[in-house]
Amino acid sequence: MADEVEGFNFEQKHGKGRVRVGRIWRKEDGQHFFVEWNVSISLLSDCLPAYVRGDNSDIVATDTMKNTVYAKAKECSEVLSVEDFAIELGRHFTSLYQQVTTAVIKIVEKPWERVSVGGQPHQHGFKLGSEKHTAEVIVKKSGALRVTSGIEGLALLKTTQSGFEGFIRDKYTALPETRERMLATEVSASWRYVYESLSNIPVKPPYFTERYLDVKKVLVETFFGPPKEGVYSPSVQSTLYHMARAVLNRFPDIASIQLRMPNLHFLPVNLPSKDNPTIVKFDDDVFTPTDEPHGTIEASLSRSWSKM
């Protein structure tokens, strides 16, 4: 909401970015759990005097926000999801400070995964995975809530069962049509939950973590299809839509989903020379990987009653 200042409309917010925190939970049976989070906080607050009169009496210092992240991580004595931690931070800032009307908390979870040694999960050993779990939580003083989860860097590739035909051709078109190509992409996905207030979020602690894993599983399985025969993709656009639709059909607690799927290209290699026209003759086998330039395909899908 904008304030009117000296005949101008003025909007402001302030916060703290890139607050990195690691947290270990140690169970009585000797098993350890570990997370690493990168937290960003933005507060919308009634602190106009700080801007127009140099009066800082309503300012929550960004250093205080940083310290709050560590203090709240310490207070969380049980393992919790990145979404639940973001909700806890948002609840804290909007309830403790009278002038704060809205808190926006964004967190990226680094993908530390438990290792197995000799076929057994290690009690305290972890390795760094690939795709990252993201969360954005908006909490208002009224208790209104918006929770969005996501995946970044989910790299997927299949070596067949993909084509691209029937597209517009004009004098600038050089791309040949094909029913046989590789399909590779790096999926970024975000989905918004139906919960709209602090009072109706699930109380089951692992809920958001389990749903994140469930959504990732559906996205991957829809992209690849059955293990033996796979599923044919006539375009990235078609595959993206079916992935989004599968998530909404499977999970009624998700109101909308957005997917971004850039092409990771693998270009055929043909190497001729003056003396040998077939040093390397392409036979759907040798490629040059490249992601520059790449196609960008993105779309969102929401339920008819959902606010995007």
Side-chain angles (χ1 to χ4, degrees), residues 50-296:
Y51 292 88
V52 299
R53 296 201 301 271
D55 178 359
N56 296 331
S57 58
D58 286 330
I59 288 285
V60 180
T62 65
D63 189 67
T64 301
M65 299 181 203
K66 176 202 69 178
N67 295 341
T68 301
V69 172
Y70 298 121
K72 289 299 177 183
K74 176 70 174 180
E75 291 175 13
C76 294
S77 58
E78 297 294 330
V79 180
L80 79 167
S81 70
V82 62
E83 291 87 356
D84 284 313
F85 187 64
I87 290 170
E88 179 58 31
L89 288 174
R91 194 197 315 260
H92 168 85
F93 288 117
T94 55
S95 62
L96 182 63
Y97 302 107
Q98 181 179 356
Q99 66 274 32
V100 174
T101 58
T102 304
V104 181
I105 313 296
K106 297 181 181 180
I107 306 180
V108 178
E109 180 172 293
K110 208 164 185 177
W112 290 106
E113 303 170 350
R114 189 178 304 280
V115 301
S116 292
V117 177
Q120 296 293 321
H122 202 281
Q123 290 282 72
H124 54 266
F126 300 84
K127 66 179 179 65
L128 194 59
S130 52
E131 65 272 3
K132 297 176 180 178
H133 181 175
T134 65
E136 179 185 79
V137 169
I138 300 175
V139 180
K140 295 183 178 294
K141 188 176 289 293
S142 64
L145 174 73
R146 188 174 76 181
V147 180
T148 303
S149 298
I151 297 173
E152 290 183 358
L154 177 61
L156 303 176
L157 177 152
K158 59 182 184 179
T159 56
T160 187
Q161 285 285 55
S162 173
F164 191 47
E165 301 175 285
F167 50 89
I168 294 173
R169 304 198 70 86
D170 57 34
K171 64 181 181 179
Y172 301 116
T173 304
L175 184 70
E177 298 189 4
T178 182
R179 286 190 60 83
E180 177 57 44
R181 67 172 184 172
M182 295 175 63
L183 177 58
T185 185
E186 189 172 279
V187 179
S188 294
S190 62
W191 55 94
R192 184 170 60 83
Y193 291 93
V194 298
Y195 311 111
E196 295 184 345
S197 71
L198 290 169
S199 61
N200 66 7
I201 57 174
V203 295
K204 182 182 177 186
Y207 165 80
F208 287 110
T209 299
E210 290 179 356
R211 181 60 76 244
Y212 166 81
L213 295 174
D214 290 340
V215 170
K216 182 169 72 169
K217 184 172 184 285
V218 168
L219 292 173
V220 170
E221 290 179 350
T222 307
F223 178 89
F224 289 113
K228 290 187 180 293
E229 63 270 26
V231 62
Y232 182 72
S233 169
S235 65
V236 178
Q237 286 86 344
S238 175
T239 297
L240 181 154
Y241 172 74
H242 283 91
M243 291 166 69
R245 188 180 66 175
V247 169
L248 292 190
N249 283 342
R250 178 76 177 273
F251 306 113
D253 54 349
I254 293 178
S256 62
I257 182 168
Q258 182 174 19
L259 288 170
R260 186 170 68 253
M261 293 173 56
N263 280 317
L264 303 180
H265 294 296
F266 286 80
L267 306 180
V269 173
N270 283 294
L271 286 181
S273 73
K274 181 179 180 180
D275 300 322
N276 183 358
T278 57
I279 296 174
V280 175
K281 180 175 173 55
F282 181 69
D283 190 23
D284 287 326
D285 52 0
V286 180
F287 303 83
T288 298
T290 179
D291 58 4
E292 296 179 357
H294 62 69
T296 57

